[in-house]
């Protein structure tokens, strides 16, 4: 059966292995226990990416993965030239 990994990044990072249409095994959550309301907010982007990579490797357990799906709900601000682009805002505006 085809194995994929699902990643959701919000106030924490949740990663799970998916076979078919079901999550199999436990979800890996980072941080496991947080003392702050939004611990990822103070992390540099490179650290978040590295953390996602480590969590995906842990869930895959050395097995072959067909695909990885990553969700970052909310507003993601990126700087393009001198313009600030809020990537997900456009998607949300189209739904109203």
């Amino acid at each position: 059966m085809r194995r994929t990994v699902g990643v959701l990044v919000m106030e924490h990072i949740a990663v799970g292995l998916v076979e078919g249409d079901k999550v199999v095994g436990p979800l890996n959550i980072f941080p496991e226990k947080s003392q702050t309301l939004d611990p990822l907010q103070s992390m540099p982007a490179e650290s978040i990416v590295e953390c996602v990579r480590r969590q995906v490797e842990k869930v895959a357990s050395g097995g072959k993965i067909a695909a990885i799906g990553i969700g970052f709900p909310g507003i993601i601000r990126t700087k393009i030239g001198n313009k600030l682009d809020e990537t997900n805002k456009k998607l949300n505006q189209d739904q109203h």
Side-chain angles (χ1 to χ4, degrees), residues 12-54:
H12 59 271
I13 300 170
V15 181
L17 181 63
V18 179
E19 290 183 358
D21 62 352
K22 301 218 182 309
V23 175
V24 294
L27 291 177
N28 279 347
I29 308 289
F30 175 87
E32 290 180 22
K33 295 179 183 170
S34 175
Q35 285 74 28
T36 63
L37 187 59
D38 191 355
L40 300 183
Q41 189 172 17
S42 62
M43 285 178 72
E46 295 83 6
S47 298
I48 293 173
V49 170
E50 178 61 22
C51 184
V52 168
R53 184 193 63 76
R54 284 193 313 265

Side-chain angles (χ1 to χ4, degrees), residues 5 11 25 37 39 49 55-56:
V5 174
E11 297 87 18
L37 187 59
V49 170
Q55 296 299 318
V56 167

